[in-house]
Amino acid sequence: MPETPTSRHVLNRQRAARRHSRLVDAALSRACTYAHPAGRIVRIETHISVVFLAGRYAYKIMKPVDFGFVNFVRLDARRRCCEAEIRLNAPFAGSIYRDTSELLIDGRRCRLRRGGRGNASVIDYAVRMRRFDQRLLFSNLLAHGELGTADIDAAAVSLAASHRHARRAGRGPTAPAARLGSAALLREQVLAALAPLEADPSTAHAVESAALRATCESELARLAPHLDARRANGFVRACHGDLHLDNIVRDGRRALMFDCIEFSDALRWIDVTCDLAFLLMDLRARGHAAYAHRLLNRYLDATGEFTGLAALRLYIVYRALVRALVAMLKAHSPARSDAQASAGTASRYLALAASEARAMREPAPWLLLCHGFSGSGKSAASRALAELSGAIRVSSDLERKRLEPFAPPSLDALPASAYTQAALDAHYERLVADVRDVLNAGYTALVDATFLKAAHRARFAALARELNRPMLILNFHAPQARLAERVDAREHGPRDASDAGADVLAAQFAQADPLDARERQRTVDLDTDVEIEAFSRERWWAPLFERMRGEDGEI
């Protein structure tokens, strides 16, 4: 086929881009380019950028590529991207991002310089970052068995805080409006990720056998009003957009999130639940479902954001499809030596998407009510159960002290007026609304409250009948002396969400309504006079799990 002017232009541009990349690579691989001791320089490459680790700093450059969704061919586009990366990562990454550095050419020598924008000898721009220990990346910590629950909790708190303070779509002079975060745009994004996977022989069978297109289209249509209502209510915000385990690093007791999406408003201005879904998906795809369950519940503890659960499974499928697509493209790249591993990664993400799609089609949620006096271990036990099972825990103590939506709960003691019978009845009604959101989203709801009043138990039993969900009462009990000991320790220990002291415990004993015969039929007794570590073992929960497996679902 003869070469056309257009194809000649494209080829010339590609050759020029390759020459430029070789020049920049060579320059940043030499210690003399840097204005500080560089030591051994380490090069890390992605499909759109290259990072050079040199001494105390890391320098990230954008490749002169055009993938459609991102175009860095022009020098000014790469400069704008570097500047945007520093600005947009600030809410997530703390002090990691420093400034934009210029790569200058002076004769045959290249050097990095800060400031002085506009010099004609500038050939590229780099984001200068504080270098951190690569071993502290969450992905590396997880791979070596060193990622702990404290890291997961830190990530949940950090992400919740960044979402809480993020700009909202349509608010402020620089916030975008129009279609960003809309149901229509999400539909385009999901189907755009799905189409190449359907067309590729290596992934088409997995996509078809899991009925992913039919499930996605059905859920996108069903959830469209919910998605647009979420946007109208301010939940589409300036998010991270690329929140997987390679982009989070342990920093002391904090979790810093870096390398957010800076080149696409459509991928960054999203529902906060879609941002959270990426990290949940990545933890599960790497075989750590318990950490994903913990992250989700800690995020909900910090935000009370139960309404977002309705679309969470759809978002997880979407994120898994995107990662499967990236892995598939890597597997087909002739320049890569890890093609087989990339193909396996694509299969793993597709398996997760298929599992989540089945859960969307066939949800099987339960309503589990915690019951017991203060000090009976309900809160510690229910946290452990949520982590083991994937249930969504709704804490009465936390929600009572959440003064406004999306705000963290206060730990200050509430006045006595918050515990009158009328106030308690109103509080339990608010819990009903939260639990309804959880059950309607297809998740098991685990309600951490005392449920010492028959009327409150009856209200939740009515909700279970209304939604046709099976319900069990988890009766947590321990000797009275043990309850008193725990309540006293809590009063004199670190502040937490519970206001229950010795006087409250005494009042509970005097005023509690015992479980009646019908309630006892749907009760699982759990003796909590054990060490707290027992709650994290599946065998301690065996009576509950056996009951759930054997239930016929009648309420």
Side-chain angles (χ1 to χ4, degrees):
M1 181 179 294
E3 189 178 80
T4 66
T6 300
S7 63
R8 201 162 45 243
H9 172 73
V10 171
L11 287 172
N12 289 337
R13 191 173 65 183
Q14 291 173 345
R15 292 190 190 103
R18 286 194 292 269
R19 285 196 300 271
H20 177 83
S21 293
R22 286 195 295 269
L23 173 63
V24 171
D25 261 13
L28 292 177
S29 297
R30 291 192 294 265
C32 61
T33 301
Y34 302 89
H36 55 79
R40 185 175 70 87
I41 298 169
V42 178
R43 183 182 183 276
I44 303 172
E45 183 175 1
T46 72
H47 60 301
I48 64 173
S49 65
V50 184
V51 177
F52 294 86
L53 307 181
R56 294 177 296 140
Y57 298 107
Y59 294 86
K60 178 180 177 180
I61 63 163
M62 310 303 164
K63 294 180 180 178
V65 295
D66 182 359
F67 289 134
F69 67 92
V70 59
N71 186 343
F72 293 148
V73 171
R74 295 178 60 86
L75 178 61
D76 61 342
R78 299 198 293 278
R79 173 182 58 78
R80 288 195 301 271
C81 185
C82 289
E83 292 170 347
E85 182 154 347
I86 292 168
R87 183 178 70 255
L88 298 176
N89 275 287
F92 304 100
S95 60
I96 286 181
Y97 286 78
R98 297 301 174 88
D99 52 45
T100 299
S101 295
E102 299 171 337
L103 182 61
L104 306 170
I105 188 164
D106 183 7
R108 299 181 64 181
R109 181 176 179 270
C110 291
R111 58 190 174 88
L112 280 168
R113 182 186 71 182
R114 281 178 282 163
R117 184 191 307 165
N119 192 309
S121 60
V122 174
I123 62 169
D124 221 321
Y125 294 89
V127 175
R128 186 173 70 101
M129 297 174 281
R130 171 173 61 85
R131 185 174 176 178
F132 51 76
D133 189 341
Q134 295 289 297
R135 293 173 298 180
L136 298 182
L137 288 172
F138 270 33
S139 53
N140 290 335
L141 291 171
L142 191 71
H144 292 92
E146 297 174 3
L147 191 72
T149 55
D151 297 308
I152 297 298
D153 295 349
V157 170
S158 178
L159 186 58
S162 67
H163 285 167
R164 188 178 306 119
H165 299 297
R167 288 183 298 151
R168 304 182 186 187
R171 302 273 184 95
T174 59
R179 301 176 69 238
L180 297 183
S182 67
L185 180 56
L186 179 66
R187 177 184 177 83
E188 292 175 13
Q189 292 169 328
V190 172
L191 298 184
L194 187 59
L197 295 166
E198 291 175 314
D200 190 273
S202 66
T203 54
H205 176 72
V207 172
E208 182 179 356
S209 61
L212 287 175
R213 175 171 285 274
T215 302
C216 287
E217 288 187 336
S218 172
E219 286 298 289
L220 285 162
R222 183 181 71 85
L223 290 169
H226 164 81
L227 297 171
D228 286 334
R230 292 272 298 173
R231 189 187 187 288
N233 291 331
F235 290 104
V236 170
R237 302 189 179 190
C239 293
H240 186 285
D242 197 23
L243 198 57
H244 51 78
L245 291 165
D246 290 323
N247 284 347
I248 309 177
V249 63
R250 179 195 286 166
D251 186 66
R253 296 183 179 180
R254 300 183 300 168
L256 299 184
M257 303 169 185
F258 61 95
D259 204 16
C260 76
I261 294 289
E262 78 286 328
F263 56 81
S264 170
D265 281 350
L267 298 177
R268 190 169 63 87
W269 286 88
I270 54 178
D271 192 301
V272 293
T273 306
C274 187
D275 210 30
L276 169 66
F278 205 146
L279 187 52
L280 296 173
M281 181 278 301
D282 206 25
L283 284 166
R284 289 182 53 190
R286 296 174 191 243
H288 289 269
Y291 276 173
H293 301 330
R294 186 182 183 100
L295 175 75
L296 175 56
N297 275 285
R298 293 298 186 273
Y299 180 88
L300 294 172
D301 285 350
T303 64
E305 231 301 272
F306 300 103
T307 59
L309 291 170
L312 179 58
R313 284 198 165 108
L314 175 62
Y315 287 135
I316 289 175
V317 169
Y318 166 47
R319 294 304 197 177
L321 291 175
V322 169
R323 296 301 282 177
L325 176 58
V326 170
M328 183 199 78
L329 294 173
K330 288 180 179 178
H332 292 337
S333 173
R336 297 190 68 92
S337 59
D338 57 350
Q340 187 172 355
S342 295
T345 300
S347 297
R348 188 169 71 246
Y349 284 123
L350 284 175
L352 176 57
S355 172
E356 208 67 11
R358 283 194 300 274
M360 286 194 287
R361 294 192 296 266
E362 304 166 4
W366 285 73
L367 175 54
L368 305 177
L369 305 185
C370 298
H371 170 267
F373 297 104
S374 294
S376 62
K378 297 185 308 301
S379 294
S382 60
R383 285 194 191 97
L385 177 58
E387 192 169 332
L388 285 171
S389 67
I392 301 298
R393 176 175 171 268
V394 181
S395 165
S396 174
D397 287 336
L398 293 176
E399 296 312 311
R400 180 184 285 114
K401 293 191 171 183
R402 198 179 309 282
L403 303 182
E404 59 184 37
F406 222 138
S410 169
L411 297 183
D412 293 335
L414 295 175
S417 59
Y419 294 97
T420 64
Q421 193 58 55
L424 289 173
D425 291 343
H427 172 60
Y428 272 87
E429 280 302 311
R430 290 192 294 274
L431 291 180
V432 166
D434 290 336
V435 171
R436 182 186 297 275
D437 285 335
V438 174
L439 293 173
N440 282 336
Y443 291 91
T444 288
L446 175 61
V447 193
D448 176 16
T450 59
F451 280 107
L452 297 177
K453 289 296 182 181
H456 297 154
R457 300 193 295 267
R459 179 67 186 88
F460 279 80
L463 175 66
R465 288 192 297 272
E466 175 193 341
L467 300 181
N468 194 29
R469 307 301 189 204
M471 186 186 88
L472 288 174
I473 298 172
L474 314 186
N475 181 40
F476 297 96
H477 60 87
Q480 188 168 342
R482 184 75 156 146
L483 303 181
E485 175 188 316
R486 288 172 175 168
V487 166
D488 181 67
R490 189 163 59 197
E491 274 194 291
H492 295 91
R495 184 184 300 177
D496 69 9
S498 175
D499 290 339
D503 292 343
V504 170
L505 182 60
Q508 289 176 350
F509 278 119
Q511 300 168 10
D513 297 332
L515 299 171
D516 63 27
R518 180 174 173 79
E519 289 174 321
R520 292 296 315 178
Q521 291 176 354
R522 306 209 60 79
T523 295
V524 177
D525 286 306
L526 296 163
D527 183 357
T528 62
D529 192 19
V530 295
E531 296 300 318
I532 194 170
E533 291 79 10
F535 300 150
S536 297
R537 303 184 188 118
E538 288 197 16
R539 65 175 178 270
W540 190 82
W541 295 98
L544 171 62
F545 293 153
E546 289 171 8
R547 182 71 181 270
M548 292 174 74
R549 280 193 294 268
E551 276 290 337
D552 57 12
E554 293 181 4
I555 300 171

